[in-house]
Amino acid sequence: MKGLLELTHSTARKNELVLSSEVSERLDKVLLEQRQKSRLAQFGLSPRRKLLFTGSPGTGKTLSAAVLASELKLPLYTIVLDNLITRFMGETAAKLRLIFDHIKQTRAVYLFDEFDAIGTQRGATNDVGEIRRVLNSFLMFVEQDSSESILLAATNHPELLDKALYRRFDDIIQFEKPGQTQIKQLIENRLSAFETGRLSWDEITQAACGLSSADVTRACEDAAKEAVLHHDANITTEMIIKAVQRRQNGKH
Ligand SMILES: Nc1ncnc2c1ncn2[C@@H]1O[C@H](COP(=O)(O)OP(=O)(O)OP(=O)(O)O)[C@@H](O)[C@H]1O
Ligand SMILES: [Mg+2]
């Protein structure tokens, strides 16, 4: 596939993901329908397999793709946008055709990640009209696809897409920034090697309010390193809040 598809063997598990119950239920539905696809087929039904993931950076879109692949024991192919988009629409369409041939031949999870990056990848394609044409051409391929693979498209900017084409997806999943409950869960997951029983969760979750899940995770790692290297592996509310505030201020 000459650099168009990147194969990853994901080991990410469902319990690593911290999501709202709504998003979590939607992903569970995909897993269930995929696992029961032959039962569905007996009744002329087909499982969900074309999904659009929307949401701001660091909310778990890419991680969810990895989890779906590993839970279904399927390979994960990520489409390398850099090599897909060319200055000439004709070439881009030809490359898309190659990718969709692969999708038909090899059942796997295919992630068209970070579509919003299309506009900034290359100077030459940096206009909205061109981005729209490429996106809509992709969505046309999605519509025509009748393979057994799982197609995931992830974007930070769903407003760029033609609304009419939304219907081509079996589900649109909106990833959100974590609320208080999810922030606590993310921190507990990340700091499972530490004693976290005495932390002041209200203070911590308040300080972390508005951060993405990715930022909360990174703040935990900073606090954990601080604890290990300077405090005999004792983690405190203050250390976590300090790390969280550093993320809030954008100082990494
Ligand atoms: N919902 C989540 N639950 C658990 N960890 C998360 C979650 N979201 C993000 N993370 C952590 O942050 C990292 C980056 O998240 P991910 O790449 O999935 O974000 P994304 O939504 O794809 O962002 P982008 O729009 O920038 O591509 C993950 O590998 C994980 O460590
Ligand atoms: Mg991503």
Side-chain angles (χ1 to χ4, degrees):
M1 287 303 287
K2 289 180 238 84
L4 282 179
L5 292 175
E6 200 170 82
L7 176 64
T8 17
H9 291 286
S10 156
T11 53
R13 300 312 306 254
K14 182 99 212 301
N15 61 12
E16 286 174 44
L17 264 177
V18 178
L19 301 165
S20 68
S21 48
E22 193 196 325
V23 170
S24 179
E25 280 162 22
R26 279 168 188 253
L27 291 178
D28 283 343
K29 200 169 222 171
V30 178
L31 289 173
L32 178 67
E33 292 186 9
Q34 284 294 329
R35 286 176 177 142
Q36 302 284 336
K37 69 187 171 72
S38 33
R39 240 172 96 193
L40 292 174
Q42 289 171 5
F43 294 87
L45 300 165
S46 35
R48 288 175 147 62
R49 56 176 202 85
K50 298 177 184 177
L51 307 173
L52 179 63
F53 288 174
T54 70
S56 52
T59 47
K61 300 181 297 297
T62 303
L63 181 60
S64 294
V67 167
L68 287 179
S70 71
E71 292 287 338
L72 294 170
K73 300 189 173 59
L74 291 172
L76 173 66
Y77 286 99
T78 303
I79 287 72
V80 184
L81 282 178
D82 235 350
N83 297 341
L84 170 65
I85 311 301
T86 70
R87 287 172 58 192
F88 309 104
M89 257 311 283
E91 278 181 33
T92 302
K95 287 178 174 180
L96 276 172
R97 197 159 290 125
L98 279 178
I99 290 169
F100 277 84
D101 282 345
H102 196 284
I103 289 174
K104 204 165 153 188
Q105 278 154 22
T106 310
R107 181 172 182 243
V109 174
Y110 292 86
L111 173 62
F112 292 79
D113 209 0
E114 294 180 26
F115 261 85
D116 45 305
I118 287 175
T120 50
Q121 301 262 323
R122 291 189 187 189
T125 55
N126 203 353
D127 85 81
V128 175
E130 180 68 9
I131 300 165
R132 264 184 206 281
R133 276 194 294 280
V134 173
L135 286 174
N136 288 335
S137 148
F138 159 68
L139 288 165
M140 228 97 81
F141 275 101
V142 170
E143 187 184 357
Q144 285 159 13
D145 173 75
S146 58
S147 70
E148 298 213 319
S149 290
I150 295 166
L151 272 54
L152 308 175
T155 177
N156 297 152
H157 296 294
E159 69 277 4
L160 276 178
L161 307 182
D162 194 332
K163 285 279 181 298
L165 290 164
Y166 269 34
R167 279 182 276 121
R168 308 310 174 223
F169 290 96
D170 299 320
D171 207 352
I172 296 165
I173 304 186
Q174 281 172 287
F175 288 75
E176 306 280 353
K177 284 184 175 172
Q180 310 264 37
T181 321
Q182 284 102 28
I183 290 172
K184 181 168 185 249
Q185 188 67 58
L186 282 164
I187 297 174
E188 281 177 336
N189 284 0
R190 208 59 181 181
L191 300 179
S192 60
F194 298 84
E195 176 55 55
T196 54
R198 284 199 213 119
L199 295 174
S200 308
W201 289 108
D202 282 350
E203 274 181 70
I204 293 171
T205 54
Q206 235 157 56
C209 184
L211 287 181
S212 70
S213 300
D215 277 334
V216 171
T217 304
R218 286 190 210 111
C220 284
E221 284 159 8
D222 290 342
K225 284 184 210 166
E226 169 84 12
V228 168
L229 299 176
H230 303 290
H231 302 275
D232 212 12
N234 291 310
I235 205 152
T236 62
T237 299
E238 290 67 37
M239 282 176 216
I240 298 175
I241 289 184
K242 214 172 130 201
V244 157
Q245 279 169 347
R246 233 177 280 131
R247 293 285 155 188
Q248 292 280 21
N249 297 334
K251 290 185 224 137
H252 304 316

